[in-house]
mmCIF file of all heavy atoms in Angstrom:
data_model
loop_
_atom_site.group_PDB
_atom_site.id
_atom_site.type_symbol
_atom_site.label_atom_id
_atom_site.label_comp_id
_atom_site.label_asym_id
_atom_site.label_seq_id
_atom_site.Cartn_x
_atom_site.Cartn_y
_atom_site.Cartn_z
ATOM 1 N N ALA A 54 -8.646 -18.500 25.215
ATOM 2 C CA ALA A 54 -9.723 -17.880 25.995
ATOM 3 C C ALA A 54 -9.273 -16.591 26.689
ATOM 4 O O ALA A 54 -10.082 -15.689 26.906
ATOM 5 C CB ALA A 54 -10.242 -18.886 27.017
ATOM 6 N N ASP A 55 -7.979 -16.489 27.020
ATOM 7 C CA ASP A 55 -7.526 -15.299 27.760
ATOM 8 C C ASP A 55 -7.098 -14.155 26.841
ATOM 9 O O ASP A 55 -6.599 -13.131 27.308
ATOM 10 C CB ASP A 55 -6.387 -15.676 28.724
ATOM 11 C CG ASP A 55 -5.154 -16.196 27.981
ATOM 12 O OD1 ASP A 55 -5.240 -16.424 26.751
ATOM 13 O OD2 ASP A 55 -4.114 -16.380 28.638
ATOM 14 N N GLN A 56 -7.261 -14.295 25.530
ATOM 15 C CA GLN A 56 -6.878 -13.234 24.601
ATOM 16 C C GLN A 56 -8.047 -12.268 24.349
ATOM 17 O O GLN A 56 -9.197 -12.712 24.263
ATOM 18 C CB GLN A 56 -6.457 -13.841 23.254
ATOM 19 C CG GLN A 56 -5.169 -14.648 23.329
ATOM 20 C CD GLN A 56 -3.979 -13.799 23.740
ATOM 21 O OE1 GLN A 56 -3.694 -12.782 23.140
ATOM 22 N NE2 GLN A 56 -3.298 -14.232 24.798
ATOM 23 N N THR A 57 -7.727 -10.984 24.240
ATOM 24 C CA THR A 57 -8.768 -10.008 23.914
ATOM 25 C C THR A 57 -8.861 -9.888 22.398
ATOM 26 O O THR A 57 -7.981 -9.315 21.762
ATOM 27 C CB THR A 57 -8.437 -8.630 24.518
ATOM 28 O OG1 THR A 57 -8.212 -8.808 25.919
ATOM 29 C CG2 THR A 57 -9.588 -7.651 24.314
ATOM 30 N N VAL A 58 -9.907 -10.493 21.856
ATOM 31 C CA VAL A 58 -10.125 -10.446 20.420
ATOM 32 C C VAL A 58 -11.475 -9.785 20.178
ATOM 33 O O VAL A 58 -12.471 -10.146 20.801
ATOM 34 C CB VAL A 58 -10.114 -11.862 19.808
ATOM 35 C CG1 VAL A 58 -10.492 -11.820 18.338
ATOM 36 C CG2 VAL A 58 -8.746 -12.503 19.977
ATOM 37 N N MET A 59 -11.489 -8.782 19.297
ATOM 38 C CA MET A 59 -12.764 -8.148 18.948
ATOM 39 C C MET A 59 -13.275 -8.787 17.673
ATOM 40 O O MET A 59 -12.504 -9.389 16.910
ATOM 41 C CB MET A 59 -12.573 -6.650 18.782
ATOM 42 C CG MET A 59 -12.085 -6.007 20.075
ATOM 43 S SD MET A 59 -11.853 -4.241 19.929
ATOM 44 C CE MET A 59 -13.506 -3.663 20.222
ATOM 45 N N MET A 60 -14.581 -8.670 17.443
ATOM 46 C CA MET A 60 -15.141 -9.311 16.248
ATOM 47 C C MET A 60 -16.264 -8.487 15.641
ATOM 48 O O MET A 60 -16.899 -7.674 16.315
ATOM 49 C CB MET A 60 -15.626 -10.720 16.601
ATOM 50 C CG MET A 60 -16.662 -10.779 17.682
ATOM 51 S SD MET A 60 -16.718 -12.423 18.442
ATOM 52 C CE MET A 60 -15.321 -12.339 19.580
ATOM 53 N N ALA A 61 -16.452 -8.704 14.338
ATOM 54 C CA ALA A 61 -17.523 -8.010 13.619
ATOM 55 C C ALA A 61 -18.246 -9.015 12.740
ATOM 56 O O ALA A 61 -17.646 -9.972 12.236
ATOM 57 C CB ALA A 61 -16.938 -6.889 12.759
ATOM 58 N N LEU A 62 -19.552 -8.791 12.586
ATOM 59 C CA LEU A 62 -20.352 -9.585 11.659
ATOM 60 C C LEU A 62 -20.910 -8.629 10.613
ATOM 61 O O LEU A 62 -21.573 -7.644 10.965
ATOM 62 C CB LEU A 62 -21.495 -10.293 12.387
ATOM 63 C CG LEU A 62 -22.414 -11.098 11.455
ATOM 64 C CD1 LEU A 62 -21.735 -12.362 10.967
ATOM 65 C CD2 LEU A 62 -23.723 -11.441 12.144
ATOM 66 N N ASN A 63 -20.618 -8.928 9.360
ATOM 67 C CA ASN A 63 -21.047 -8.062 8.260
ATOM 68 C C ASN A 63 -20.734 -6.594 8.543
ATOM 69 O O ASN A 63 -21.567 -5.709 8.381
ATOM 70 C CB ASN A 63 -22.530 -8.281 7.963
ATOM 71 C CG ASN A 63 -22.781 -9.713 7.509
ATOM 72 O OD1 ASN A 63 -21.927 -10.319 6.857
ATOM 73 N ND2 ASN A 63 -23.920 -10.268 7.874
ATOM 74 N N GLN A 64 -19.514 -6.380 9.014
ATOM 75 C CA GLN A 64 -18.940 -5.043 9.219
ATOM 76 C C GLN A 64 -19.583 -4.261 10.359
ATOM 77 O O GLN A 64 -19.540 -3.035 10.375
ATOM 78 C CB GLN A 64 -18.972 -4.241 7.907
ATOM 79 C CG GLN A 64 -18.298 -5.015 6.765
ATOM 80 C CD GLN A 64 -18.018 -4.174 5.556
ATOM 81 O OE1 GLN A 64 -18.526 -3.081 5.417
ATOM 82 N NE2 GLN A 64 -17.175 -4.675 4.660
ATOM 83 N N GLU A 65 -20.165 -4.984 11.325
ATOM 84 C CA GLU A 65 -20.633 -4.319 12.552
ATOM 85 C C GLU A 65 -20.053 -5.031 13.752
ATOM 86 O O GLU A 65 -20.155 -6.253 13.857
ATOM 87 C CB GLU A 65 -22.167 -4.338 12.615
ATOM 88 C CG GLU A 65 -22.754 -3.252 11.752
ATOM 89 C CD GLU A 65 -24.199 -2.942 12.126
ATOM 90 O OE1 GLU A 65 -24.559 -3.040 13.298
ATOM 91 O OE2 GLU A 65 -24.941 -2.607 11.193
ATOM 92 N N MET A 66 -19.482 -4.250 14.649
ATOM 93 C CA MET A 66 -18.866 -4.842 15.821
ATOM 94 C C MET A 66 -19.913 -5.540 16.679
ATOM 95 O O MET A 66 -20.995 -4.999 16.902
ATOM 96 C CB MET A 66 -18.165 -3.761 16.632
ATOM 97 C CG MET A 66 -16.731 -4.119 16.924
ATOM 98 S SD MET A 66 -15.946 -2.931 17.975
ATOM 99 C CE MET A 66 -15.078 -1.925 16.801
ATOM 100 N N THR A 67 -19.587 -6.729 17.158
ATOM 101 C CA THR A 67 -20.552 -7.494 17.930
ATOM 102 C C THR A 67 -19.821 -8.479 18.830
ATOM 103 O O THR A 67 -18.615 -8.365 19.023
ATOM 104 C CB THR A 67 -21.552 -8.180 16.965
ATOM 105 O OG1 THR A 67 -22.561 -8.798 17.733
ATOM 106 C CG2 THR A 67 -20.873 -9.204 16.081
ATOM 107 N N GLY A 68 -20.572 -9.434 19.402
ATOM 108 C CA GLY A 68 -19.971 -10.373 20.356
ATOM 109 C C GLY A 68 -20.170 -11.827 19.949
ATOM 110 O O GLY A 68 -20.759 -12.128 18.906
ATOM 111 N N THR A 69 -19.671 -12.721 20.809
ATOM 112 C CA THR A 69 -19.635 -14.151 20.465
ATOM 113 C C THR A 69 -21.015 -14.794 20.294
ATOM 114 O O THR A 69 -21.134 -15.810 19.618
ATOM 115 C CB THR A 69 -18.887 -14.948 21.545
ATOM 116 O OG1 THR A 69 -19.432 -14.615 22.819
ATOM 117 C CG2 THR A 69 -17.403 -14.649 21.519
#
Side-chain angles (χ1 to χ4, degrees):
Chain A
D55 63 351
Q56 293 298 306
T57 306
V58 174
M59 299 180 84
M60 58 201 80
L62 177 73
N63 298 327
Q64 306 193 346
E65 280 199 33
M66 232 185 262
T67 186
T69 51

